[in-house]
Amino acid sequence: MYRGLVTPRKIAVLLENLPPDSAVMRRVGGNGSLTVVEHALRSLFHVGQLQLYQGGGGSGRKPKAPETPPTYEHQRQVEARNQARRDRWLAKYGHALPSRQHNT
């Protein structure tokens, strides 16, 4: 008889086998969030950049490989840093902001 219980191991197996284009993998970010098609397009774009670089005699900076998408944790850190900057700015200059009341 099924009692509606799922073991932690079963949950881990289900999460590990999610497709790359699933909402969970997109939320986690990083290389795992890219689909096969996206990997192929990124590779083709980089190869095209390298061919243009070599066709131009190899002068200038060599093109770098595309960066991996940021992870969820990295995005949270960036958002927290930006919020702290906003708070510091408002604490310093917030009193000088004009009122947002509209006179009609």
Side-chain angles (χ1 to χ4, degrees), residues 25-84:
M25 294 303 285
R26 291 252 180 226
R27 181 70 175 172
V28 169
N31 251 349
S33 67
L34 297 175
T35 63
V36 175
V37 173
E38 289 169 334
H39 274 293
L41 288 173
R42 288 164 55 94
S43 296
L44 284 173
F45 178 72
H46 184 58
V47 167
Q49 285 183 322
L50 287 172
Q51 287 178 342
L52 289 172
Y53 169 74
Q54 291 172 346
S59 59
R61 289 188 302 205
K62 186 175 182 181
K64 295 180 182 178
E67 296 180 10
T68 58
T71 61
Y72 176 67
E73 185 60 34
H74 176 74
Q75 291 173 353
R76 286 186 55 206
Q77 290 172 356
V78 168
E79 289 171 7
R81 192 168 47 244
N82 289 340
Q83 183 65 42

Side-chain angles (χ1 to χ4, degrees), residues 72-101:
Y72 176 67
E73 185 60 34
H74 176 74
Q75 291 173 353
R76 286 186 55 206
Q77 290 172 356
V78 168
E79 289 171 7
R81 192 168 47 244
N82 289 340
Q83 183 65 42
R85 285 180 184 159
R86 281 190 293 272
D87 293 343
R88 283 194 309 269
W89 190 90
L90 285 173
K92 188 172 183 179
Y93 302 108
H95 64 281
L97 291 176
S99 174
R100 293 185 178 226
Q101 296 175 355

